[in-house]
Amino acid sequence: MENKILKWMVDYFCVSVFVEICSVAQNNVLFIIVDDLKPAIGSFKDKLAVTPNIDKLASKSFVFENAFVQQALCAPSRNSLLTSRRPDSLRLYDFHSYWRTTVGNYTTLPQHFKENGYHTHSIGKVFHPGITSNFSDDFPYSWSQRPFHPKSEIYKNAKLCQNEDGSLGANLICPVIVNFQPFGTLPDIESLHEALHFLKKKNNKTIPYFLAVGFQKPHIPFKFPREYLDLYPLENIPLPQNRWRPATLPEVAWNPWVDIRTRDDMKDLNIPFPYGPISDDALKKIIQCYYASTSYIDYLIGQLLEAVDNNTIIVFVGDHGWSLGEHGELAKYSNFEEATRVPLLIHVPNLTKNKKKITKLVELVDIFPTLVDLTQISKPLSLCPVDNESTALCSEGRSLASAMWGNASKGKSAVFSQYPRPGPYPELNSDKPILKNISIMGYSMTTRRYRYTEWVGFNTSTFNISWNKCYGKELYDHSIDPGENMNLAGRPELHEIQKNLRKKLILGWRHV
């Protein structure tokens, strides 16, 4: 106990010095969240990516190279990040419930800033829209003014994508001429203009702001200005070497990417359900459009960053990753690292004048307590109680401030993700099962060397986990298999390693 108290005192002292160095005035906060963005960014060693503006931000930020989401699906991931509570605490694994009415009146990240003197505003996709944020983006709890949504987003899935024969479809691949789109614009362009308008009014004001800007691309459909295709000639697009389903992958772990198959242009390919495969030519076009969409967002982010003053903490993050053919999969909806690992950058004024790489394992639930410590708007967040009954302000993450300051501690020894399934075999609703249909939960733990996953029975009435009812296990050794291509679960020579990893997985995040 004395060691824990001493560590807390040291960390708190570091944070206090941290904030004193950063600025005298209260820092503004710009929170940028990008939909479906994996680390397909130049500063994350992706040689294909053309992302000069994000790279420029990275050059003066803390770059967290091993940041993981808690579930690779938009609503659960965003609500987990913004409340610093994990999916099992929110009891949210789909798009169909609002945590304040079903579990507890938990405080959110922007709400905490609002309650401590900040003007908070949401632009674009920050919370997932719909019932999961009470059809209001959690207004007025989290935001000082009504959240902004682009008027053109109602056309995001409309039949506006041009086919080769001149007809229009609701396609996956949809490069467009912007002037010919409804209202002559695209949703992310509208969000940028709203953000620039907000910053023009709020910069140099005495009341600090917390501005959250959510960009929709590279989320499907890949609707973006067609000129960004020029950055990625199709003949230069590489295919992943591991683009086939691993023979030892449990069937329950497979993500059949149904939302890809149902797009008009993909239907014409007659891709066999559930395992495919998709043709190399089609996969190349998907990869090309994912990267083109990312470069489009990079350009908008560059314009946004030019309007930010020097007193602003900037957080840049993806809400989850996206598979681009690795293991024969597309989209998210899995526990593979392609779906769970995301880019995370934190820029702190006057402190990160140069790039500072952090290789420690971190989770998106860590962002909330980190921003509290960096701004010192309140005392540090306490750890949430085990019973999950309290609605008091707390965190199920761990502040990254001491790691940013240079504390020599090793950090977390493991990070945790999970994904639900309706049954042991791929079904049409395997990707996005609604709560009542979930019967299996895949609990996944990544350590510095391994990823270990068990797909176990899950009761959505009691929310009890049946660890003894197992439908599949996965074990990957990243030291010899960074691509997670060879499932080693069940190997007799790894029995003790798997046994210890299983024990750690069951104990959970509180014990790492």
Side-chain angles (χ1 to χ4, degrees):
M1 178 61 73
E2 289 180 357
N3 288 338
K4 288 184 178 180
I5 294 174
L6 179 60
K7 182 181 182 302
W8 180 87
M9 292 174 65
V10 170
D11 288 351
Y12 190 76
F13 172 74
C14 288
V15 172
S16 299
V17 175
F18 206 154
V19 175
E20 185 176 346
I21 289 174
C22 290
S23 70
V24 176
Q26 192 75 54
N27 290 117
N28 299 314
V29 177
L30 173 62
F31 180 85
I32 303 171
I33 185 166
V34 183
D35 212 347
D36 285 19
L37 183 65
K38 65 191 300 179
I41 297 169
S43 50
F44 281 80
K45 304 174 186 175
D46 190 310
K47 295 180 181 180
L48 182 62
V50 181
T51 51
N53 296 295
I54 299 172
D55 295 342
K56 183 178 179 181
L57 175 63
S59 71
K60 52 185 178 180
S61 298
F62 293 97
V63 179
F64 294 88
E65 295 188 335
N66 291 296
F68 290 81
V69 305
Q70 279 46 77
Q71 185 181 327
L73 186 64
C74 298
S77 178
R78 289 165 184 262
N79 285 3
S80 177
L81 184 167
L82 292 165
T83 61
S84 196
R85 310 260 184 157
R86 296 169 191 264
D88 279 347
S89 295
L90 293 172
R91 296 185 173 179
L92 175 66
Y93 317 99
D94 57 18
F95 301 90
H96 304 292
S97 62
Y98 178 46
W99 78 93
R100 293 192 190 274
T101 58
T102 59
V103 182
N105 194 26
Y106 301 148
T107 300
T108 70
L109 169 60
Q111 178 184 357
H112 189 54
F113 274 78
K114 178 185 175 185
E115 291 173 351
N116 285 276
Y118 275 68
H119 183 97
T120 61
H121 187 32
S122 170
I123 295 174
K125 186 178 178 181
V126 180
F127 282 101
H128 195 282
I131 186 59
T132 189
S133 58
N134 201 33
F135 298 101
S136 66
D137 297 281
D138 199 45
F139 176 79
Y141 292 101
S142 291
W143 310 110
S144 303
Q145 63 186 91
R146 191 169 297 279
F148 172 85
H149 281 281
K151 59 185 179 181
S152 62
E153 72 180 4
I154 61 173
Y155 296 103
K156 65 181 180 181
N157 291 312
K159 289 182 177 291
L160 293 170
C161 310
Q162 189 164 6
N163 298 311
E164 291 182 0
D165 62 2
S167 63
L168 297 177
N171 293 348
L172 175 71
I173 295 173
C174 189
V176 300
I177 299 173
V178 175
N179 289 341
F180 294 164
Q181 290 300 293
F183 306 112
T185 188
L186 291 172
D188 287 323
I189 296 174
E190 288 190 80
S191 292
L192 169 66
H193 291 163
E194 176 68 15
L196 294 177
H197 177 68
F198 176 89
L199 290 171
K200 186 176 181 180
K201 291 193 302 180
K202 291 298 179 183
N203 279 342
N204 302 318
K205 299 291 185 180
T206 55
I207 299 175
Y209 63 77
F210 180 105
L211 174 62
V213 182
F215 291 106
Q216 295 182 12
K217 299 302 152 195
H219 192 288
I220 62 173
F222 297 127
K223 186 183 293 184
F224 57 90
R226 64 169 58 238
E227 57 265 29
Y228 286 92
L229 287 174
D230 296 340
L231 297 173
Y232 303 97
L234 200 58
E235 61 270 21
N236 295 342
I237 300 297
L239 290 168
Q241 293 182 347
N242 59 339
R243 58 186 182 278
W244 299 276
R245 182 170 70 97
T248 54
L249 182 72
E251 289 186 277
V252 68
W254 178 254
N255 147 37
W257 33 280
V258 173
D259 60 345
I260 303 294
R261 301 169 188 272
T262 55
R263 304 285 166 167
D264 287 350
D265 52 345
M266 294 294 108
K267 286 179 184 177
D268 295 339
L269 301 179
N270 293 319
I271 302 168
F273 183 88
Y275 299 119
I278 190 169
S279 70
D280 286 354
D281 288 343
L283 181 55
K284 275 195 171 189
K285 290 179 181 178
I286 290 173
I287 296 171
Q288 178 194 39
C289 288
Y290 182 91
Y291 277 86
S293 299
T294 302
S295 291
Y296 159 53
I297 293 304
D298 175 83
Y299 173 73
L300 301 182
I301 287 173
Q303 292 184 278
L304 175 61
L305 295 177
E306 286 182 2
V308 176
D309 66 24
N310 295 324
N311 187 43
T312 302
I313 293 172
I314 302 170
V315 177
F316 169 88
V317 68
D319 67 342
H320 47 70
W322 218 80
S323 293
L324 286 168
E326 300 89 352
H327 312 106
E329 294 196 335
L330 292 167
K332 49 253 189 178
Y333 317 126
S334 82
N335 284 319
F336 275 118
E337 188 166 310
E338 282 84 15
T340 59
R341 180 170 165 257
V342 294
L344 172 60
L345 307 175
I346 301 179
H347 167 74
V348 184
N350 302 321
L351 187 67
T352 45
K353 296 180 180 179
N354 299 299
K355 180 179 180 179
K356 297 185 179 182
K357 294 194 298 183
I358 295 179
T359 60
K360 295 176 181 179
L361 295 169
V362 304
E363 301 171 283
L364 297 200
V365 285
D366 299 334
I367 293 175
F368 190 162
T370 300
L371 284 176
V372 169
D373 285 353
L374 294 182
T375 57
Q376 287 200 317
I377 59 169
S378 70
K379 64 182 181 180
L381 300 189
S382 60
L383 187 69
C384 292
V386 175
D387 60 17
N388 195 38
E389 294 297 324
S390 173
T391 59
L393 179 64
C394 63
S395 171
E396 293 184 351
R398 186 181 302 173
S399 175
L400 305 174
S402 61
M404 295 162 71
W405 179 248
N407 190 303
S409 66
K410 294 182 180 179
K412 298 177 180 180
S413 61
V415 290
F416 296 82
S417 301
Q418 62 190 94
Y419 209 87
R421 293 283 189 245
Y425 306 105
E427 304 175 28
L428 290 175
N429 65 337
S430 287
D431 294 344
K432 296 183 285 188
I434 61 175
L435 181 62
K436 68 178 182 179
N437 292 334
I438 294 170
S439 64
I440 299 170
M441 188 68 70
Y443 287 99
S444 193
M445 177 184 70
T446 298
T447 71
R448 294 185 183 89
R449 179 170 176 175
Y450 299 102
R451 176 166 76 84
Y452 181 67
T453 302
E454 287 199 12
W455 297 88
V456 296
F458 189 78
N459 188 313
T460 55
S461 297
T462 62
F463 294 91
N464 288 332
I465 305 165
S466 299
W467 289 104
N468 293 325
K469 192 174 184 180
C470 187
Y471 296 88
K473 299 179 181 181
E474 299 171 75
L475 172 60
Y476 305 98
D477 184 345
H478 290 162
S479 68
I480 59 172
D481 180 28
E484 300 184 339
N485 302 313
M486 185 168 50
N487 182 12
L488 302 174
R491 295 280 186 97
E493 67 272 22
L494 298 175
H495 174 74
E496 284 301 314
I497 290 174
Q498 185 170 330
K499 179 181 176 182
N500 291 332
L501 288 170
R502 183 176 195 269
K503 180 179 179 180
K504 196 168 185 176
L505 176 67
I506 293 173
L507 284 173
W509 60 270
R510 292 180 184 273
H511 299 272
V512 299

